[in-house]
Amino acid sequence: SGAHARRTALTDRIFVVVAMGRKETKKRMGDLFNDAMLEESADLIAGVDEAGRGPLAGPVVAAAVILDPMRPIDGLRDSKKLTEASRERLAAEIKERALDWSVAHATVEEIDELNILQATMLAMKRAISGLTVRPSLVLVDGNRVPRIDLPVNAIIQGDDKIAAISAASIIAKTTRDHWLVELDERYPEYGFAKHKGYGTKEHLEALAKYGPLPVHRKSFGPVKQAIELRRGEAGDLELD
C-alpha cells in the first residue's frame, strides 16, 4: 500500500543516517520525522510563528497560517531576512491567498505575569484557536510547542524551511510592526517606529531620560533598572 511504501522508504532513509556523527544524526532523524508527519497530514498544515519575544516593550504577537497548495506564493522565507517592503507585499498576498490565517497576541501584563516563554505559547495557542479551518497538523517555529488538541511539532529554523511557518512569521512581524508604529505616534520621544521596542542604544537612552511607560515589560532587566532608578530619585514610581 502507499502507507507501507512510505514507511519502508522512511526506514531506508533512517538506516542511511546512522553512520553520521551524533549531532548530525539527531538533526537528520528530526528531519525524517517531520517528513513523515508531512506525508501523513495531507494539505491542511498550519504554520505558526511569533514576533516580539526580545523587545523591552509591546506585546508578543503570534500568527497561524494555512496556505492553499493551489495558490502558491513566491518568495516566502524568514521574515527577518526580508526587506520591510517585501514583508508588506507578501503579508497582503498571504492574507488574500491563504486558506486561512489568524493573528493573536499576549499583552505586556501577561508577559510580566507568566514570563515571555509562556506568554509566547499563549499567543500561539490563541492564534491557532482563531483559525476557522481546522488543520490536520500544526508546525511551530523553534523548539517548543503550545499545548493544543491537534498534532503539533516544533521545527528549528522552520521559518526558513516550511512555507506555512514563513508565512506566519511574516504576518506576525508585520502586525506587530504596525502596532509599534502606532505606539510611536503616541510616544514619539521613545522612537518605537524605528527600533520596534528592542533594546537599542536610542531606546535605552529614552528609557533613562523619560522613564518607563505602561507598554514597557517591567520583568525585563533594563526596564527594571529604569524603574528602580526613578524610584531612587523620586520615591515610589507610578506609571501613567
Side-chain angles (χ1 to χ4, degrees):
S1 69
H4 176 74
R6 286 195 297 272
R7 285 194 293 272
T8 301
L10 180 60
T11 302
D12 291 344
R13 290 156 69 191
I14 290 174
F15 179 77
V16 169
V17 301
V18 295
M20 296 179 181
R22 182 176 298 175
K23 183 176 181 180
E24 180 63 20
T25 299
K26 184 176 180 181
K27 177 181 180 299
R28 287 292 297 126
M29 290 290 283
D31 290 344
L32 293 175
F33 175 69
N34 292 330
D35 289 348
M37 291 186 76
L38 288 169
E39 287 174 2
E40 297 295 331
S41 67
D43 292 323
L44 290 180
I45 299 167
V48 177
D49 201 2
E50 55 73 29
R53 284 186 63 170
L56 307 180
V60 60
V61 177
V65 177
I66 302 175
L67 293 175
D68 185 345
M70 302 303 294
R71 304 183 72 193
I73 300 170
D74 292 332
L76 294 176
R77 61 182 309 193
D78 175 4
S79 64
K80 296 183 293 295
K81 297 180 179 180
L82 295 167
T83 64
E84 182 177 357
S86 294
R87 285 195 298 268
E88 293 295 336
R89 175 182 56 80
L90 285 166
E93 198 169 348
I94 292 162
K95 291 174 181 179
E96 194 272 323
R97 292 193 178 193
L99 283 175
D100 198 8
W101 63 274
S102 170
V103 65
H105 71 281
T107 66
V108 169
E109 292 76 18
E110 288 169 328
I111 292 169
D112 288 336
E113 179 182 350
L114 299 173
N115 74 44
I116 186 58
L117 173 61
Q118 294 307 317
T120 301
M121 294 298 105
L122 177 60
M124 288 182 171
K125 186 173 182 178
R126 287 170 174 167
I128 296 164
S129 297
L131 292 169
T132 56
V133 176
R134 183 176 175 85
S136 52
L137 173 65
V138 176
L139 298 178
V140 179
D141 182 55
N143 59 4
R144 303 287 185 92
V145 298
R147 293 183 179 180
I148 55 174
D149 62 347
L150 289 164
V152 59
N153 194 36
I155 311 284
I156 294 174
Q157 296 180 340
D159 49 6
D160 236 5
K161 296 177 180 178
I162 305 293
I165 299 179
S166 301
S169 135
I170 291 165
I171 295 295
K173 178 159 180 56
T174 53
T175 298
R176 189 177 188 280
D177 284 356
H178 291 168
W179 290 351
L180 270 291
V181 170
E182 292 176 6
L183 198 61
D184 185 78
E185 294 174 0
R186 293 173 57 193
Y187 306 105
E189 65 273 22
Y190 286 82
F192 288 120
K194 183 178 179 181
H195 55 65
K196 304 302 190 293
Y198 284 89
T200 63
K201 181 174 181 290
E202 178 186 355
H203 190 184
L204 294 176
E205 288 174 352
L207 197 57
K209 183 176 181 179
Y210 303 110
L213 297 165
V215 296
H216 278 105
R217 302 173 182 179
K218 302 175 191 64
S219 56
F220 279 43
V223 181
K224 274 185 181 179
Q225 293 172 13
I227 291 172
E228 291 302 320
L229 179 63
R230 290 174 71 81
R231 279 180 175 156
E233 291 176 349
D236 196 29
L237 175 68
E238 181 178 340
L239 298 181
D240 53 24

